[in-house]
Amino acid sequence: MFSKILIANRGEIAVRIIKTCRRMGIQTVQVYSEADAGSLAVEMADEAVLIGPAPAAQSYLLADKIVEAVRQTGAQAVHPGFGFLSENAGFARRLRDEGIAFIGPNPEAIEAMGDKISSKKLAAEAGVSTVPGHMGLIETPEEAVKIANEIGYPIMIKASAGGGGKGIRVAHSDADMAEGFAAVKAEALNAFGDDRVFLEKFIIDPRHIEIQVLGDKHGHVVHLFERECSIQRRNQKVIEEAPSPLLDEATRAAMGAQAVALAQAVNYDSAGTVEFVAGQDKSFYFLEMNTRLQVEHPVTELITGVDLVEQMIRSAWGEALAFEQKDLKINGWAIESRIYAEDPYRGFLPSIGRLVRYEQPEEGEQDGYVVRNDSGVREGDEISMFYDPMIAKLCAWGETREDAVTGMARALEDTHLSGLGHNVPFLAAVMDQERFKSGELSTSYIKDEFPDGFHGLRPTVEQERILIASALAMHEVIAEQDGDPSDRTDWIVMIDKTPHGVGLSYDEDEEMILTLTGGGDIRLSDIDWRPGLAQFKAELDGEAFTAEVKRVADGFDIRHRAARARVRVLRPHVAELYARLPEKAVADTSKLVLSPMPGLVVSIPVVVGQEVKTGETVAIIEAMKMQNILKAERDGVVKAVGAKDGDPVAADDVLVEFG
């Protein structure tokens, strides 16, 4: 077995690989850019080698630097993780030529299946169902528009070398196609160094289901069942689960058989994923094959008990698979939520900065569920604009899907982050939705359920009880600490502007009993909170919960899952005064186009004095390797332009002002 492996990646996947290597007794070398010098992966690895500045094109994408680090440290193999050089056949071939093992598939398999155009042709030849489309290279927007009209809208524009949700647009018209084609080519060149683009028919109301395959160098290939990855935003997976709530045993077996056949056709000898688009009627079509480890691999590991990173290492060493297809079984259900540094209240835009606080849920077996948290950052680390804004992959396993959903919701409650925007409230909202609980998923789920964006959810009756109890309990703790305990038994707890009358008493065990004016008692016990803590933990009528809390001048900001409110504990006569306070006027920004995120200005294609119509592009901002096209929301004449091409901008910087 290898004695030393170099990890040509960063973040949570580097940490993930290090953990398996430690368990196998293998030393690790972590390469890093200047931006990652103080990273968790660098801290955990046995050795670390600086390979360049922060931009990936000057560090993680440089094969010369990786090979030099291998030679410098005496590593025998390279694990590329996902992204960067993981699907670069030239890199894999170079390592092989230099006598360095590549922990991934052979370069011929990467070449055959890593290219989205050639892989579809191979799939069709192997008898795999494929989506109608145009697999040939397309050079100009005009050519793309012509082909799109032959196939019929809607059309998906995809980068041939794409992955990770980047280099993808859906066009519904000729105008969409022309603009989207140019944007995808630019993104593809920037992210992958390859601007080839192809088109395929976009399936209405589709589901994204993928099959995990695993092969060795002795011709053996198995599949480890499926993952459902339909909850996506901008073609980027957000929530994944295994198995899929759509599939029956017959469909699962058919998809698995096709995936294995395709892998065998190219002599696949590592972990890989065959992706399908599935209709609600269980029809399915081949999309692409990712010749690498997937971000969402933990859910497969949780339901099968197979460590995919270990199997990749063993395969690269030359070992045969130690199990056959008949040995693999599905055990329980697992869900993964991708926690990103992005602000769901601002259209899910990237929110880079320092992770001031990061409290993670306890891993391992909990009350009816199991928690796994794959994270590559710690409290105090900075989320950089140069890389994907992922903070962690939070997973929950349960014996049933209902158990897994319940476990994920509780694990999200126990996750606290501050210092930057994050999507935990949104993830929690999905877990609480009846549609998600029913398993009625599609890739348009987020757009369907949150058509106007995410603004949080109104508290349910149960959540109102949590907000009331938490606020009153914290109020009592603070009063006791300040040496000013009150003997009042009647309070008004205001949730935003809505008053709730509450009577307070204690039982013989000093547990709080709250009697609501509207009827019913609340028993609050096992309180775990003191001033300064960001999480309030307790049991409400015997059910454990965690709320995110912050003390403010006149009360508390409290969030439970997706419900967030300003909560005040007031004497009755003070509550009457609060009810009369006028609402604060909201600033008028209707004539401004603001940068929705920190990033770099790619272009601002308007000038002072220009007349602009609704829907016209007024700015393109690049952040997290994605180009974000900003369009005018109203007709108007440009009064001022606040930035120029290449300028760095912060969130809310004025880009364009209309007269």
Side-chain angles (χ1 to χ4, degrees):
M1 179 51 64
F2 303 115
S3 60
K4 185 182 289 188
I5 290 173
L6 182 141
I7 301 165
N9 216 293
R10 63 176 302 280
E12 54 83 23
I13 187 55
V15 171
R16 162 74 188 87
I17 295 167
I18 290 170
K19 288 179 178 178
T20 287
C21 287
R22 280 182 174 180
R23 184 173 55 76
M24 296 178 69
I26 301 171
Q27 289 191 311
T28 52
V29 178
Q30 178 64 53
V31 296
Y32 65 95
S33 71
E34 291 172 355
D36 287 332
S39 69
L40 179 59
V42 168
E43 178 185 292
M44 290 179 63
D46 297 294
E47 299 175 61
V49 179
L50 175 65
I51 56 171
Q58 300 175 42
S59 51
Y60 296 107
L61 287 171
L62 293 179
D64 287 345
K65 292 284 190 178
I66 304 298
V67 172
E68 182 183 334
V70 171
R71 297 301 183 205
Q72 177 184 331
T73 59
Q76 301 154 296
V78 172
H79 198 307
F82 41 70
F84 297 138
L85 296 171
S86 63
E87 293 182 281
N88 187 308
F91 177 63
R93 184 172 287 110
R94 178 174 176 185
L95 291 181
R96 184 173 66 185
D97 292 345
E98 300 211 22
I100 303 165
F102 178 72
I103 302 176
N106 61 80
E108 290 74 26
I110 296 176
E111 224 156 35
M113 301 308 296
D115 183 280
K116 306 303 184 287
I117 295 175
S118 64
S119 67
K120 287 188 179 294
K121 293 178 179 177
L122 279 167
E125 291 170 4
V128 180
S129 302
T130 56
V131 180
H134 183 86
M135 297 300 106
L137 295 180
I138 306 167
E139 299 295 339
T140 66
E142 292 75 20
E143 186 183 354
V145 168
K146 180 181 177 182
I147 294 169
N149 279 286
E150 293 171 359
I151 299 172
Y153 290 106
I155 298 288
M156 185 172 283
I157 313 165
K158 301 183 74 173
S160 179
K166 296 177 180 62
I168 298 177
R169 290 284 195 282
V170 175
H172 297 271
S173 65
D174 290 354
D176 285 351
M177 176 59 67
E179 184 172 70
F181 180 80
V184 170
K185 283 183 75 72
E187 282 184 7
L189 185 62
N190 183 49
F192 313 111
D194 182 344
D195 71 349
R196 291 176 300 158
V197 169
F198 70 97
L199 308 180
E200 66 183 16
K201 181 75 173 177
F202 183 67
I203 307 300
I204 303 297
D205 199 28
R207 297 172 78 126
H208 186 127
I209 298 175
E210 59 191 32
I211 301 290
Q212 176 71 57
V213 296
L214 186 62
D216 61 24
K217 297 184 183 301
H218 305 277
H220 306 124
V221 180
V222 297
H223 71 81
L224 287 84
F225 312 107
E226 80 280 2
R227 295 184 288 259
E228 170 110 26
C229 309
S230 296
I231 308 296
Q232 303 180 0
R233 183 188 56 74
R234 294 181 65 182
N235 302 113
Q236 175 71 59
K237 300 165 188 174
V238 178
I239 296 171
E240 302 100 344
E241 60 183 292
S244 164
L246 175 71
L247 300 192
D248 52 33
E249 287 299 330
T251 309
R252 175 175 294 118
M255 292 180 78
Q258 283 198 15
V260 168
L262 189 58
Q264 288 175 326
V266 292
N267 299 314
Y268 203 81
D269 56 352
S270 188
T273 301
V274 181
E275 302 199 354
F276 295 91
V277 58
Q280 299 294 341
D281 60 356
K282 298 185 179 66
S283 60
F284 58 90
Y285 305 92
F286 172 76
L287 274 178
E288 61 190 28
M289 184 173 188
N290 289 315
T291 55
R292 54 170 168 82
L293 191 67
Q294 289 280 87
V295 174
E296 58 273 17
H297 74 274
V299 291
T300 295
E301 295 182 330
L302 285 168
I303 66 163
T304 62
V306 175
D307 184 326
L308 290 170
V309 172
E310 176 183 348
Q311 295 303 318
M312 293 179 75
I313 294 171
R314 293 191 181 282
S315 175
W317 179 250
E319 291 185 13
L321 290 177
F323 44 82
E324 300 177 21
Q325 191 67 56
K326 61 182 177 59
D327 301 318
L328 296 166
K329 300 288 188 293
I330 294 175
N331 176 33
W333 212 286
I335 297 176
E336 174 181 290
S337 291
R338 300 191 187 189
I339 299 177
Y340 285 116
E342 61 183 15
D343 191 342
Y345 302 100
R346 292 169 57 90
F348 297 94
L349 294 169
S351 177
I352 62 177
R354 192 162 300 282
L355 199 53
V356 177
R357 299 189 72 163
Y358 181 22
E359 297 176 33
Q360 305 178 46
E362 184 178 351
E363 292 192 83
E365 192 166 346
Q366 307 301 317
D367 185 16
Y369 60 98
V370 173
V371 172
R372 169 175 167 175
N373 194 39
D374 285 19
S375 183
V377 295
R378 302 150 299 186
E379 196 167 272
D381 285 349
E382 186 170 356
I383 306 299
S384 168
M385 68 177 287
F386 294 101
Y387 313 114
D388 288 343
M390 182 181 287
I391 295 171
K393 301 182 307 193
L394 182 61
C395 301
W397 176 93
E399 292 186 0
T400 66
R401 187 172 188 270
E402 182 180 2
D403 292 338
V405 173
T406 299
M408 176 57 71
R410 285 289 294 121
L412 288 166
E413 279 187 33
D414 289 335
T415 302
H416 169 66
L417 305 103
S418 66
L420 40 70
H422 59 85
N423 65 338
V424 169
F426 170 76
L427 297 168
V430 175
M431 292 302 127
D432 282 342
Q433 288 186 305
E434 289 305 317
R435 178 180 169 185
F436 180 78
K437 291 178 181 179
S438 73
E440 296 176 8
L441 313 179
S442 77
T443 55
S444 62
Y445 185 99
I446 292 177
K447 183 175 65 176
D448 294 343
E449 296 299 310
F450 304 95
D452 301 318
F454 178 75
H455 308 290
L457 301 181
R458 293 184 60 83
T460 63
V461 172
E462 184 64 20
Q463 286 178 317
E464 285 184 346
R465 290 156 61 90
I466 287 173
L467 298 178
I468 291 168
S470 301
L472 195 48
M474 289 188 290
H475 181 272
E476 291 291 290
V477 169
I478 293 168
E480 185 73 31
Q481 185 186 63
D482 292 344
D484 186 28
S486 171
D487 58 0
R488 290 195 69 87
T489 59
D490 60 318
W491 296 94
I492 299 295
V493 178
M494 296 191 69
I495 300 177
D496 292 328
K497 284 284 188 177
T498 304
H500 299 266
V502 184
L504 173 62
S505 61
Y506 293 86
D507 66 10
E508 63 277 5
D509 297 321
E510 290 301 307
E511 292 184 352
M512 294 182 69
I513 308 296
L514 283 65
T515 302
L516 305 182
T517 300
D521 288 347
I522 300 173
R523 179 179 295 272
L524 196 67
S525 60
D526 291 341
I527 297 171
D528 179 10
W529 184 82
R530 64 180 184 276
L533 290 183
Q535 290 182 310
F536 179 93
K537 299 183 179 184
E539 288 190 4
L540 185 74
D541 294 335
E543 290 291 325
F545 73 90
T546 303
E548 189 172 273
V549 298
K550 181 181 180 181
R551 190 178 177 184
V552 292
D554 59 347
F556 307 94
D557 279 337
I558 304 178
R559 178 181 65 81
H560 180 259
R561 301 190 181 180
R564 184 169 67 181
R566 173 67 60 85
V567 186
R568 305 174 177 89
V569 180
L570 306 170
R571 293 180 174 86
H573 73 279
V574 177
E576 293 180 9
L577 298 176
Y578 266 94
R580 300 174 189 171
L581 290 175
E583 295 286 346
K584 184 178 179 180
V586 178
D588 180 13
T589 60
S590 61
K591 294 184 178 182
L592 304 177
V593 176
L594 306 178
S595 177
M597 73 206 80
L600 294 174
V601 176
V602 175
S603 69
I604 298 183
V606 295
V607 296
V608 174
Q610 179 179 337
E611 290 189 11
V612 176
K613 298 295 184 183
T614 301
E616 287 186 23
T617 298
V618 294
I620 301 176
I621 304 297
E622 182 177 298
M624 304 292 183
K625 299 186 286 186
M626 296 285 284
Q627 290 196 357
N628 300 271
I629 299 172
L630 308 182
K631 299 187 177 185
E633 297 181 359
R634 57 190 290 274
D635 294 351
V637 176
V638 177
K639 178 181 178 182
V641 176
K644 62 182 183 299
D645 296 2
D647 280 355
V649 290
D652 295 328
D653 278 0
V654 177
L655 301 175
V656 178
E657 180 180 357
F658 290 100

